[in-house]
Amino acid sequence: GFRISLAPPSGTHLCTMAKKSQELPRRDQGTFKTVMKCYEQKQYKKGLRSAEQILKKHPGHGETLAMKGLILNCLKRKEEAEAFAKKGLFANLRSHVCWHVYGLIHRSERRYQDAIKCYQNALKYDKDNLLILKDLSLLQIQKREHDGFQETRRKILLLKSDQRINWIAYAVGNHLLGRHKKCVHILDTFIKTLDQDKVWDYQDSEMHLYRNRVIMESGDVKGALADLEKIESDARDKQYVWYWKAKMQMSLGDAKKAEEGFRKLLDVNNEQGDYHSGLQASLGLAPKDGEYTEDQIKQLLELYDGFKAKWKYCSYAKRFPLSFTNGDEFKRRVDGYMRPKLRKGVPSLFRDLKSLYGDKAKVAVIESIAVQYYESLKKAKRFSPEDEEDSETPNVLVWCIYFLAHHYEFMGKPQKALALIEEGISHTPTAIDLYVLKARTYKHQRDYEKAYEILNYARELDLADRYLNTKCVRYAFRAKKVADADRIVKLFLRDTDTIDSLFEMQAMWYELSCAQCHLKLKDYPNALTKLYSVEKHFEDISEDQFDFHTWCLRKTTLRAYVDMLKYQEKLRGHRFFKKAALAIVDCYVQIFDKPAVASDTATPGQADMAKLTAKQRRALKKKQKKAAQRAKQKEEAEAKQRAEAQKAGGDKESKNALRESIPDGKKLAADPDPLKAATGMVKQLQLYAPSDFETQLAALEVYSRKSRPLLTLQALKRAFRIASPAHPELHRHAVLFAKQMREKKDASQDPLLVKILALETETLDGFPKPGQKLDQYNDQYLQDHKASLAHRVSAAKCRKELGQDPALACSAVYDESKDGAAAIESASLESAVDAFEFVKSLNLPKKLETLRAALHAQYPLTPDFMAPSPS
């Protein structure tokens, strides 16, 4: 539980403000102190009995009612707790205890703004209460109210200036507001009060390093460097001191000293890329516009050859030259780099070299070397004809096959890769990595069932490998085998654990994979359960900051603390949150388009939302709203029953706490306004991932359905700034938006809105010009990008939306011309599947078969394009 400000409930300064009815006799005051003591010692049942003892005599005593509510809140009787806290507050509005308690209850329910207001009201009646001030400061930093936090910490410092934490917290508050000089002044004032002859401990070192960082951030690089040199001998984190000292020397133009610093750092850790980059910059060997001069290449080779001789096992010294050498020099070095890795059987060799695959010449060299290795090892167990025969072990051939198969798979030659993998498996049937690569190859060809079967076989070869178990679960979900996935993931759980335990573990990889599987199966309730579970994990991670606000200030880990605060501010920019948010938007959009599939509350046989009349939509929404209200009433009744059972049975209900904390997918899927829920996620994506193209596409999907033209235009303009105006998705959305504008122009639309939209779209590249026919604009787009399948599909979709004949839309996707063949040949597998699914939706069997045959010739391993079986 939280601590509560312990002050006489009806004595001293409160007596003058409280009503006489709120005064307790001396004996009951002692009982009230017992209530407070029991709360702080977590003896809740004893405290509850003492509170009830007071309330029998004084049923309207506000502070006792409030304390009873706080104790009930700790016993998980939430509704009763809030009722008693409110009752106590209304009985004594001038009591800081009542306001403090009500704030604590709000905080426990994560209603932080309400809690802040309660604490501020409490301070009106006891402005110097340290406990309330500290609780208020915690919520202010949690909500990033930096002004309020700084002012609250100032008041605490004035009240308790002899405590180290108060000085540091006030300094941090000024730092967060960008008041660097004031922050340094506060720290200096505090440092003067310390024993100057004392040997620094870790906390002293951290405080001085934090002070130095603040000076650096203020822009005073020279002053920061002088300070760092002053504290270097006493500071504990030597690598931090040396690194930033060298960085600042470099920024001030003292390259010679910076070079010495970076060389010292490399002697400590020769694999750290930042140290190497710093050394290169200090020697004038950093690339200009991404390119190295011949003289720079010569000096770099001398430098790193020296490092290779000095540090025998330094991988960076061997790997880095591959990034800037070319021709014969590159061939010699990459040959020398690959051989030891293949001898050792390093599975990550291909991943290590993959960054070089942007250069076609280097790819050709790597392939020729790998092929030579393969042929020589197979023939005479050696890497090249110049080597001695039988100089390599048989295992080297297996790892060479693995690398070459990986190469072919990456280069889009899956059949070659699979042939090599089969050869490797026949050579060493227990080489698990070959099975994993084989499964990955089939996965990339969208044969998810076969990929799962292969990976499951690999998993069974080593049942103790958690990595294989995890990969197999994800492959099972891709193959839509939910039961198999759950069975496999349970193998690494404790016997007493259930699938719900993964929620407690915050296994987001599992929840995202599971959600995507359910989304493909149109099982929206289960998909939303998993997706909102991910969203809740991020909320919990943000909530975990509370554990560090006081701890970091007390332990003086200030640099890490400020970094944590900055990281938390962009936490929802993490790829897991973005994946979950985009999937939630996609899920709600599908529910909106096909409400009959969404939940049990919808009537079977309903038409698509887009096909319903306005009257039918209103009736459907009304029906869904009533169903949601019934579900809410049912939930409230169940919550009441649980509360009663808990009151009677103590902690028996705690076993179900985990299940209750998991989001209710059925309730989420039955939302009467799915676009409103989707809009909430779009806003979060726009806040935390505004530069992601997928964010703007999600906004376009939602706002176009909500008929919000200005927001749609805003998303469209942002998308144009991120991607090319000719992007297939942008073209489709631009045409649809132009169509909506023209259809509503003559309808009852605000003339000012019409004018704004016209002015904004006039000069927008990639948007149809005023007066230009949309079908002509779309045909021109098709003509300009006829060699790209993705662009052709976009134009075909626009033809369908514009009401043109399905056969005409189909002809835009594929024809047997040279351009049509070129489009198929250069198409990505995703574009090919999109084209196939679109033509399938047109219900033109002959055209579909023609396209299927063309796509099957290009992607023979993909099941989507295989001829249907006679059955």
Side-chain angles (χ1 to χ4, degrees), residues 315-433:
S315 182
Y316 191 98
K318 300 167 188 172
R319 172 65 180 79
F320 178 65
L322 302 182
S323 63
F324 61 82
T325 51
N326 293 289
D328 292 338
E329 182 66 27
F330 172 77
K331 185 174 182 178
R332 182 178 70 80
R333 287 180 178 272
V334 79
D335 180 31
Y337 186 76
M338 288 172 67
R339 288 190 186 201
K341 301 276 186 183
L342 291 172
R343 286 192 187 107
K344 289 179 183 178
V346 178
S348 60
L349 176 59
F350 177 79
R351 189 179 290 273
D352 184 8
L353 297 178
K354 196 162 72 170
S355 61
L356 302 173
Y357 275 55
D359 186 331
K360 290 182 179 179
K362 290 183 178 181
V363 174
V365 170
I366 291 170
E367 183 174 325
S368 67
I369 289 173
V371 169
Q372 177 195 297
Y373 288 168
Y374 167 68
E375 290 172 350
S376 297
L377 286 166
K378 192 175 177 182
K379 188 176 180 180
K381 294 183 185 177
R382 58 185 176 183
F383 279 115
S384 67
E386 292 78 25
D387 298 335
E388 188 180 339
E389 283 194 23
D390 297 328
S391 57
E392 305 297 338
T393 62
N395 281 341
V396 179
L397 175 60
V398 176
W399 291 111
C400 179
I401 287 171
Y402 179 76
F403 175 84
L404 193 56
H406 225 140
H407 166 83
Y408 283 135
E409 197 276 328
F410 183 77
M411 297 301 293
K413 300 174 181 177
Q415 289 167 307
K416 272 190 169 185
L418 288 169
L420 275 169
I421 291 167
E422 289 299 336
E423 184 181 336
I425 288 172
S426 63
H427 181 283
T428 310
T430 56
I432 293 174
D433 292 280

Side-chain angles (χ1 to χ4, degrees), residues 309-595:
K310 184 179 180 181
W311 302 311
K312 185 180 177 183
Y313 298 106
C314 178
S315 182
Y316 191 98
K318 300 167 188 172
R319 172 65 180 79
F320 178 65
L322 302 182
S323 63
F324 61 82
T325 51
N326 293 289
D328 292 338
E329 182 66 27
F330 172 77
K331 185 174 182 178
R332 182 178 70 80
R333 287 180 178 272
V334 79
D335 180 31
Y337 186 76
M338 288 172 67
R339 288 190 186 201
K341 301 276 186 183
L342 291 172
R343 286 192 187 107
K344 289 179 183 178
V346 178
S348 60
L349 176 59
F350 177 79
R351 189 179 290 273
D352 184 8
L353 297 178
K354 196 162 72 170
S355 61
L356 302 173
Y357 275 55
D359 186 331
K360 290 182 179 179
K362 290 183 178 181
V363 174
V365 170
I366 291 170
E367 183 174 325
S368 67
I369 289 173
V371 169
Q372 177 195 297
Y373 288 168
Y374 167 68
E375 290 172 350
S376 297
L377 286 166
K378 192 175 177 182
K379 188 176 180 180
K381 294 183 185 177
R382 58 185 176 183
F383 279 115
S384 67
E386 292 78 25
D387 298 335
E388 188 180 339
E389 283 194 23
D390 297 328
S391 57
E392 305 297 338
T393 62
N395 281 341
V396 179
L397 175 60
V398 176
W399 291 111
C400 179
I401 287 171
Y402 179 76
F403 175 84
L404 193 56
H406 225 140
H407 166 83
Y408 283 135
E409 197 276 328
F410 183 77
M411 297 301 293
K413 300 174 181 177
Q415 289 167 307
K416 272 190 169 185
L418 288 169
L420 275 169
I421 291 167
E422 289 299 336
E423 184 181 336
I425 288 172
S426 63
H427 181 283
T428 310
T430 56
I432 293 174
D433 292 280
L434 287 170
Y435 292 101
V436 174
L437 180 56
K438 185 179 179 182
R440 184 185 291 119
T441 305
Y442 278 109
K443 179 194 78 173
H444 289 163
Q445 297 302 305
R446 293 178 60 88
D447 193 345
Y448 298 127
E449 289 204 14
K450 194 162 189 176
Y452 163 65
E453 288 172 10
I454 294 163
L455 196 63
N456 192 44
Y457 179 79
R459 179 188 66 81
E460 288 171 349
L461 290 174
D462 186 359
L463 293 172
D465 193 321
R466 188 184 289 271
Y467 168 77
L468 286 175
N469 181 275
T470 301
K471 292 291 285 185
C472 194
V473 170
R474 296 177 71 177
Y475 275 60
F477 278 129
R478 287 194 188 96
K480 301 179 185 178
K481 296 181 182 292
V482 180
D484 284 3
D486 287 347
R487 174 180 56 80
I488 294 165
V489 80
K490 280 181 182 177
L491 296 174
F492 275 83
L493 297 177
R494 291 190 296 261
D495 294 338
T496 55
D497 286 341
T498 63
I499 286 293
D500 291 340
S501 302
L502 292 167
F503 173 83
E504 195 175 22
M505 296 175 195
Q506 296 185 344
M508 288 185 263
W509 65 268
Y510 168 82
E511 286 160 344
L512 286 169
S513 299
C514 186
Q516 291 291 350
C517 176
H518 286 302
L519 202 51
K520 287 177 187 173
L521 295 168
K522 308 296 181 189
D523 182 359
Y524 301 122
N526 279 321
L528 287 170
T529 295
K530 297 302 180 187
L531 293 171
Y532 273 99
S533 294
V534 174
E535 199 263 348
K536 192 172 187 306
H537 295 329
F538 278 89
E539 191 180 325
D540 291 339
I541 292 167
S542 181
E543 205 53 33
D544 290 341
Q545 290 177 81
F546 270 120
D547 297 336
F548 298 98
H549 291 316
T550 304
W551 190 91
C552 288
L553 295 174
R554 194 172 67 247
K555 296 292 184 181
T556 329
T557 56
L558 303 177
R559 290 177 294 147
Y561 176 59
V562 172
D563 288 340
M564 185 270 290
L565 291 178
K566 290 178 179 176
Y567 174 75
Q568 286 282 353
E569 286 170 9
K570 56 183 182 181
L571 175 67
R572 284 175 170 80
H574 192 279
R575 60 192 176 91
F576 279 176
F577 182 83
K578 289 190 284 189
K579 279 183 180 180
L582 289 167
I584 288 170
V585 172
D586 184 24
C587 193
Y588 277 124
V589 165
Q590 289 186 41
I591 289 173
F592 176 79
D593 291 343
K594 294 187 177 180

